[in-house]
Amino acid sequence: MKDLISLHDLTSEEVKGLLELGLKLKKEQKSGIEHHILKGKTLGMIFTKSSTRTRVSFEVGMTQLGGYPLFLSSNDIQLGRGESIYDTAKVLERMLDGIMIRTYAHQDVLDLAEYANIPVINALTDLLHPCQVLADLMTTYEHKGKLEGLKLAYIGDGNNMAHSLMYGCAKAGMDCAIATPENYQCDAEVVANAKDDFKKSGKELILTTDPVEAIKNADVVYTDTWVSMGQEAEKAERQKIFMPYQVNGELFKNAADDAVFMHCLPAYRGFEVTEEVIDGPQSVIFDEAENRLHAQKAVMATLMG
């Protein structure tokens, strides 16, 4: 494991190892045990897409690991002013021990990982969000005591979250159901890769336009915003199309009685999810958000330690 670009690239054992390390580091941190695994190491954090949870979790996580996080917005580096990814990668590898990037184009992350001789972490692209799903799997394990044999249902846009959840569920031995409207379905290449992963795992992948079919007996119910960064011009149209996919109390009744609700945040109450669900007793969104810290520490420690 040289980089973290996609969970599809990892083996089930590698995913399990990251989750176990994340849980171990969380337990140590809660007990006041310091773990300066990355003492003297520096992580460059490139942001062309802003984020609350990604920035805080990587900065705090790197500090708790004894290293130094360096925030680099598109206004701070020449990559945002036309310098090539190749030149940027070659400069940064001389000064840093790892690079985290949160950006729009997935190809930029692939190119950065190809050219840089240091670990590269995909903190989000328009195609994938692997770091979030590691936190989601950690949270599921904490609340369910297992991952193998559970079912996760994702209701909403066939976006980067849906893509990485498919990959993550397959690697964790979970069934996965994705419900999206027509014309807002998952990327065809990602679906093909995910089907291969599910075939190897012996688990089921359901792709449907029916949210009731997807959520039936689900142990984990997941949704995401209908309007991601860069889609603001489509807001009114998307809200109209996606309203039948709102996760509300009536839809949630079709899940398992002890199902938990997850959302990667930020959430827009009254749109993709109602207050009765997201603020209800089965919601674990803040446990999930906290676990971004611990999952990302596991990734950094594994790649840079």
Side-chain angles (χ1 to χ4, degrees):
M1 183 175 165
K2 173 184 174 291
D3 307 296
L4 177 62
I5 308 301
S6 169
L7 297 180
H8 175 64
D9 301 332
L10 307 186
T11 65
S12 295
E13 290 72 25
E14 286 173 326
V15 171
K16 181 181 178 182
L18 289 171
L19 298 177
E20 289 176 346
L21 179 56
L23 291 165
K24 175 177 180 288
L25 293 174
K26 181 177 182 178
K27 184 177 180 180
E28 289 179 359
Q29 190 251 322
K30 296 290 187 183
S31 302
I33 300 171
E34 293 186 337
H35 35 238
H36 291 168
I37 300 167
L38 299 182
K39 185 177 181 180
K41 300 286 181 77
T42 302
L43 176 75
M45 307 190 310
I46 299 173
F47 282 84
T48 60
K49 264 190 173 184
S50 59
S51 169
T52 301
R53 282 148 293 277
T54 299
R55 180 170 179 182
V56 174
S57 58
F58 271 102
E59 282 201 18
V60 173
M62 191 63 180
T63 302
Q64 289 182 358
L65 291 170
Y68 179 77
L70 182 64
F71 176 74
L72 303 168
S73 77
S74 54
N75 294 324
D76 298 323
I77 59 174
Q78 298 302 322
L79 185 62
R81 299 185 180 93
E83 183 172 43
S84 71
I85 293 177
Y86 176 86
D87 288 353
T88 299
K90 290 304 176 188
V91 169
L92 293 181
E93 74 179 18
R94 304 282 184 113
M95 304 180 189
L96 302 172
D97 300 288
I99 300 169
M100 179 234 86
I101 180 168
R102 179 181 169 96
T103 190
Y104 292 88
H106 190 71
Q107 189 61 47
D108 288 351
V109 181
L110 294 175
D111 291 344
L112 193 61
E114 179 182 355
Y115 301 138
N117 290 314
I118 54 175
V120 171
I121 300 169
N122 174 12
L124 176 139
T125 66
D126 285 347
L127 187 70
L128 297 173
H129 199 352
C131 289
Q132 176 66 53
V133 172
L134 289 172
D136 300 335
L137 293 174
M138 269 188 66
T139 309
T140 301
Y141 182 83
E142 287 179 327
H143 284 271
K144 295 295 183 181
K146 65 176 184 176
L147 294 174
E148 181 78 29
L150 297 179
K151 177 186 176 182
L152 180 144
Y154 173 88
I155 315 293
D157 191 14
N159 60 12
N160 50 9
M161 277 312 314
H163 296 160
S164 284
L165 284 167
M166 286 191 291
Y167 287 157
C169 286
K171 301 296 181 178
M174 297 172 64
D175 295 323
C176 182
I178 306 286
T180 60
E182 292 280 0
N183 302 319
Y184 292 90
Q185 292 149 328
C186 295
D187 177 84
E189 184 177 351
V190 171
V191 169
N193 290 336
K195 286 180 176 179
D196 286 342
D197 288 344
F198 277 97
K199 186 175 181 181
K200 292 173 186 175
S201 71
K203 301 302 176 182
E204 185 178 21
L205 173 63
I206 299 169
L207 301 171
T208 180
T209 57
D210 182 357
V212 175
E213 178 189 358
I215 203 173
K216 189 172 178 59
N217 298 322
D219 302 287
V220 181
V221 178
Y222 205 113
T223 192
D224 188 13
T225 178
W226 298 335
V227 186
S228 298
M229 284 186 191
Q231 298 173 338
E232 290 81 6
E234 305 171 33
K235 183 176 180 179
E237 181 185 5
R238 280 177 165 266
Q239 287 176 350
K240 182 179 178 181
I241 292 169
F242 280 93
M243 193 53 76
Y245 292 80
Q246 181 187 73
V247 179
N248 51 40
E250 192 62 29
L251 181 63
F252 204 85
K253 288 177 184 177
N254 294 282
D257 291 341
D258 61 348
V260 295
F261 173 76
M262 290 191 186
H263 192 306
C264 56
L265 302 180
Y268 301 93
R269 288 165 169 81
F271 290 97
E272 70 266 16
V273 61
T274 57
E275 290 184 353
E276 66 177 318
V277 173
I278 195 170
D279 297 324
Q282 288 165 274
S283 175
V284 297
I285 60 169
F286 297 119
D287 293 341
E288 180 188 6
E290 180 193 344
N291 280 337
R292 288 291 301 277
L293 170 65
H294 309 295
Q296 265 125 221
K297 284 168 70 174
V299 171
M300 292 185 287
T302 299
L303 291 176
M304 300 167 60

